[in-house]
Amino acid sequence: MDLKLVLAKEIKSQALSAWSEEDIYTLIETPKHAHLGDLAFPCFKLANEWRKAPVVIAEELARELSSPLFSNVEAAGPYVNVHFDSAFAGKEIVSSILEQGVRYGSHSFGKGRTIVLDMSSPNIAKPFSMGHLRSTVIGNAIANLAEKCGYETVKINYIGDWGTQFGKLIVAFKKWGDEEKVKENPIADLFTLYKKFHEEAVQDPSLEDDGRKAFKLLEEGDEEITKLWKWFKNESLEAFKIIYSLLGVEFDSYNGEAFFNDKMEEVVELLNEHQLLETSEGAKVVRLEDETLPPCLIKKTDGATLYATRDLAAALYRQREYSFDEALYVVGQEQTVHFKQVKGVLAQLGYEWANAMKHIPFGLYLKDGKKMSTRKGRVILLEEVLGEAITMARENIKKKNPNLKEAADVAKEVGVGAVIFHDLKNDRLNDIEFSLEHMLTFEGETGPYLQYTHARAQSILRKAGVSTTFTFDGLDDSSSWEVIKQLRLFPETVERAWKNYAPSILAKYLLELAKSFNSYYGNSKIINNDPKQESRLTLVFAVASVLSQGLNLLGIGSPQEM
């Protein structure tokens, strides 16, 4: 049951018949402190219409509102504070969770609409670093939230498989590479060669020219160079898929930069047809209507196309292929100007759907306060972090629950969940200083804390020997009501997290739900063989259900035992 909707309907029927329920609904707030009520309606926006002070309006509204679900309605300054009858309202809320099951928290406003997500997008022949974790897990969580709201999603891994860096890598391999070593450990060895190229280029700048020449041969389809490039790409994709399997992330497309090599000339022709291309210092550019943005570079002086040309081609292809209603680019905030340029060019070409393209920026993982860089070797490998997290989880399980069945699977869920949650609990726009110690802490506001809370709830249900049939007749203690109030917030939290493209909103909600449940568990004897036991166990089941759903939306597993 949506208590906000109950209150909105009551306010409309009693006092605001000219307003829509939706208008009223959007104004209703949830007070930060329980003593202020379960919901509050601010009266500021009524002052001009009613020609009265908000304080007076609140007093009048408080006298008029009544419902069997309300235990108390009172004016508090310009607010109308509403307390709900915990037993009556609680029964409605928990019963709705039981009825809806895994559909609880779902929405239908996205039905019939398609969201395309450009996410993860690592470069081939380089290890999967912590720097790519954010795009991967933020993008995956946003996709899950979209699906919960009824959208169809298309997850695209726009692999970085083209560019001068591959000419450099090919030069490095031909100069210093060992085919057997690369076959044995391809990503690590190719990464070493890539770093060596840049180290040597400091002393011998001619290497940079060699790299550009090698890439030109690749563009021209040289057989030997192309064979090496394809080998590097295939080895990289196989290594990446191991990481994605650990993270539980899947993609609908791996069309990378090279896929659009034969599609960029169309972009140039379109820009010529619309007379948008200008020559600037020998290069081809598009000047944008937003004069605060620099011109968008389409072709360099040597005629080579650039990232913007490729992204324009990709946008055109994706709109034709998927007819997207929104296209989300989950890419670091340092690319903000680039995406404004791409959108601006498409808008000048007359494509209204350009407005549906949205850059979803995020902050960086920092190492010692500095941006990670594969070129300088200042990088932390995600596979190593995940491996250490899983090992640490396994050791904790051995200490605390040595007889746990399927301990290896649980350790994987817990270790990987710790890494994912550490990222998603942070506002996506914030930079995160990498700290293995903080990431792998299994206490406090962490993924393992949520997973343990879920496992504890399941343990209670197993101990009670309950069946899959639950009924809830209502509870009237304050600690159970605090849990139920948190459960009530799940649907609106899902909607808010989606509309803000902010998985952190859901992550923080799950922490609050877990805290309220653990407080309830500490203050109540749940298995007590009294008339209220079944309702208490049903509440435990409801908490486990919502925690499991919430963790799943974040891309995190919810073990039955820990």
Side-chain angles (χ1 to χ4, degrees):
M1 165 177 275
D2 188 340
L3 295 186
K4 283 177 70 174
L5 186 58
V6 170
L7 178 56
K9 286 183 175 181
E10 181 63 21
I11 292 173
K12 177 176 171 59
S13 66
Q14 294 296 331
L16 292 175
S17 57
W19 284 34
S20 71
E21 286 179 8
E22 185 177 354
D23 289 336
I24 300 169
Y25 187 96
T26 57
L27 291 176
I28 296 172
E29 302 174 2
T30 300
K32 291 183 179 179
H33 304 289
H35 72 275
L36 295 176
D38 301 318
L39 292 175
F41 180 73
C43 299
F44 302 105
K45 289 196 174 182
L46 295 178
N48 288 336
E49 184 178 333
W50 286 28
R51 297 184 182 281
K52 294 178 182 179
V55 171
V56 175
I57 296 171
E59 291 173 351
E60 293 181 3
L61 270 180
R63 286 194 294 269
E64 293 177 13
L65 297 180
S66 64
S67 166
L69 289 171
F70 303 160
S71 63
N72 186 37
V73 181
E74 59 188 3
Y79 288 86
V80 177
N81 291 343
V82 178
H83 296 260
F84 285 84
D85 181 287
S86 60
F88 195 176
K91 184 175 181 179
E92 295 293 325
I93 293 166
V94 177
S95 295
S96 69
I97 296 172
L98 297 179
E99 289 167 12
Q100 295 178 50
V102 295
R103 292 181 292 104
Y104 183 66
S106 298
H107 300 277
S108 59
F109 55 78
K111 190 174 181 180
R113 296 171 64 81
T114 299
I115 306 291
V116 168
L117 298 100
D118 182 320
M119 52 181 278
S120 194
S121 308
N123 293 319
I124 67 166
K126 293 181 183 177
F128 203 121
S129 74
M130 288 298 297
H132 288 101
L133 175 69
R134 300 219 73 190
S135 176
T136 306
V137 298
I138 292 171
N140 189 57
I142 290 174
N144 290 339
L145 287 164
E147 290 169 7
K148 188 74 169 172
C149 294
Y151 294 91
E152 293 289 330
T153 63
V154 180
K155 291 187 285 187
I156 298 173
N157 198 339
Y158 188 46
I159 295 290
D161 59 359
W162 202 249
T164 309
Q165 68 266 34
F166 299 108
K168 296 176 180 180
L169 183 61
I170 287 164
V171 169
F173 176 76
K174 294 181 78 171
K175 278 184 174 291
W176 309 296
D178 182 321
E179 186 174 347
E180 291 306 314
K181 286 179 68 177
V182 172
K183 285 181 178 178
E184 185 179 336
N185 197 351
I187 299 299
D189 200 60
L190 291 172
F191 182 42
T192 299
L193 289 170
Y194 183 77
K195 288 191 292 181
K196 184 174 178 63
F197 177 93
H198 288 283
E199 290 164 1
E200 294 292 331
V202 173
Q203 304 300 324
D204 182 5
S206 68
L207 284 171
E208 296 284 354
D209 291 328
D210 293 340
R212 283 188 284 271
K213 289 174 185 175
F215 179 59
K216 192 170 188 303
L217 288 171
L218 178 60
E219 288 185 304
E220 293 170 352
D222 179 90
E223 186 175 346
E224 179 193 8
I225 299 294
T226 301
K227 184 177 179 181
L228 284 173
W229 172 76
K230 287 182 176 178
W231 178 39
F232 296 162
K233 179 177 179 178
N234 291 336
E235 293 289 355
S236 297
L237 287 176
E238 289 305 308
F240 291 160
K241 286 176 181 178
I242 294 171
I243 301 291
Y244 292 131
S245 178
L246 274 175
L247 293 173
V249 177
E250 297 179 350
F251 295 93
D252 301 293
S253 168
Y254 279 89
N255 287 338
E257 294 178 30
F259 179 79
F260 296 98
N261 282 344
D262 62 353
K263 298 171 178 61
M264 288 185 287
E265 198 54 41
E266 179 195 1
V267 172
V268 177
E269 289 173 3
L270 278 169
L271 293 171
N272 268 323
E273 287 173 15
H274 287 74
Q275 299 182 332
L276 293 173
L277 271 187
E278 296 181 18
T279 301
S280 175
E281 298 179 4
K284 296 292 185 180
V285 303
V286 174
R287 297 195 184 278
L288 299 163
E289 292 177 352
D290 183 348
E291 294 180 359
T292 64
L293 294 173
C296 185
L297 190 56
I298 301 299
K299 276 193 172 185
K300 292 193 289 188
T301 53
D302 62 2
T305 51
L306 291 106
Y307 288 121
T309 326
R310 206 173 295 275
D311 280 349
L312 289 166
L316 288 167
Y317 174 83
R318 291 168 185 174
Q319 176 56 221
R320 290 166 182 163
E321 186 74 10
Y322 305 115
S323 299
F324 61 74
D325 295 283
E326 284 186 50
L328 306 183
Y329 291 80
V330 189
V331 182
Q333 54 192 348
E334 68 273 15
Q335 296 294 323
T336 297
V337 171
H338 168 77
F339 281 107
K340 285 182 178 179
Q341 290 176 312
V342 170
K343 280 186 66 172
V345 171
L346 288 167
Q348 286 176 211
L349 283 170
Y351 295 116
E352 293 183 5
W353 49 262
N355 291 324
M357 295 168 59
K358 299 177 183 178
H359 178 207
I360 311 299
F362 54 84
L364 303 169
Y365 267 110
L366 305 177
K367 184 180 179 185
D368 301 323
K370 298 178 182 178
K371 179 181 176 180
M372 295 181 184
S373 170
T374 51
R375 179 181 297 185
K376 297 178 181 178
R378 189 171 58 242
V379 66
I380 296 169
L381 306 185
L382 178 57
E383 189 170 10
E384 292 180 2
V385 172
L386 292 174
E388 189 162 346
I390 293 168
T391 298
M392 188 173 179
R394 191 180 297 119
E395 290 172 354
N396 280 353
I397 289 169
K398 283 181 182 178
K399 291 177 185 176
K400 297 179 179 179
N401 193 356
N403 299 318
L404 178 65
K405 296 177 181 178
E406 300 178 347
D409 290 338
V410 174
K412 177 182 165 184
E413 280 190 314
V414 173
V416 173
V419 175
I420 294 175
F421 191 81
H422 176 78
D423 189 300
L424 295 182
K425 75 177 181 180
N426 289 282
D427 187 295
R428 63 174 165 81
L429 289 173
N430 292 344
D431 290 341
I432 303 174
E433 178 67 35
F434 177 80
S435 168
L436 199 59
E437 181 182 354
H438 290 158
M439 185 175 291
L440 301 182
T441 297
F442 285 65
E443 297 175 356
E445 296 189 341
T446 67
Y449 168 72
L450 294 177
Q451 291 171 316
Y452 181 72
T453 301
H454 175 267
R456 167 180 278 173
Q458 295 291 354
S459 175
I460 293 168
L461 296 175
R462 284 194 300 274
K463 185 177 179 181
V466 295
S467 66
T468 55
T469 303
F470 293 89
T471 56
F472 189 82
D473 291 326
L475 296 169
D476 54 12
D477 60 287
S478 60
S479 59
S480 69
W481 179 233
E482 291 304 311
V483 177
I484 294 168
K485 285 196 294 182
Q486 286 297 324
L487 292 171
R488 176 188 73 80
L489 295 174
F490 183 57
E492 65 183 73
T493 300
V494 169
E495 180 176 0
R496 193 157 53 92
W498 157 247
K499 289 186 174 179
N500 289 279
Y501 309 117
S504 62
I505 290 174
L506 176 58
K508 290 167 184 173
Y509 161 80
L510 292 175
L511 288 170
E512 290 303 314
L513 174 59
K515 288 175 186 175
S516 65
F517 173 73
N518 285 318
S519 176
Y520 172 63
Y521 174 79
N523 293 321
S524 306
K525 192 170 183 180
I526 295 173
I527 301 175
N528 197 30
N529 294 320
D530 63 354
K532 291 292 184 181
Q533 176 175 297
E534 187 168 0
S535 289
R536 289 193 297 270
L537 289 170
T538 300
L539 181 58
V540 172
F541 171 79
V543 169
S545 176
V546 171
L547 277 176
S548 178
Q549 283 193 67
L551 286 167
N552 184 60
L553 288 172
L554 295 178
I556 298 171
S558 47
Q560 300 290 304
E561 293 184 73
M562 278 177 68

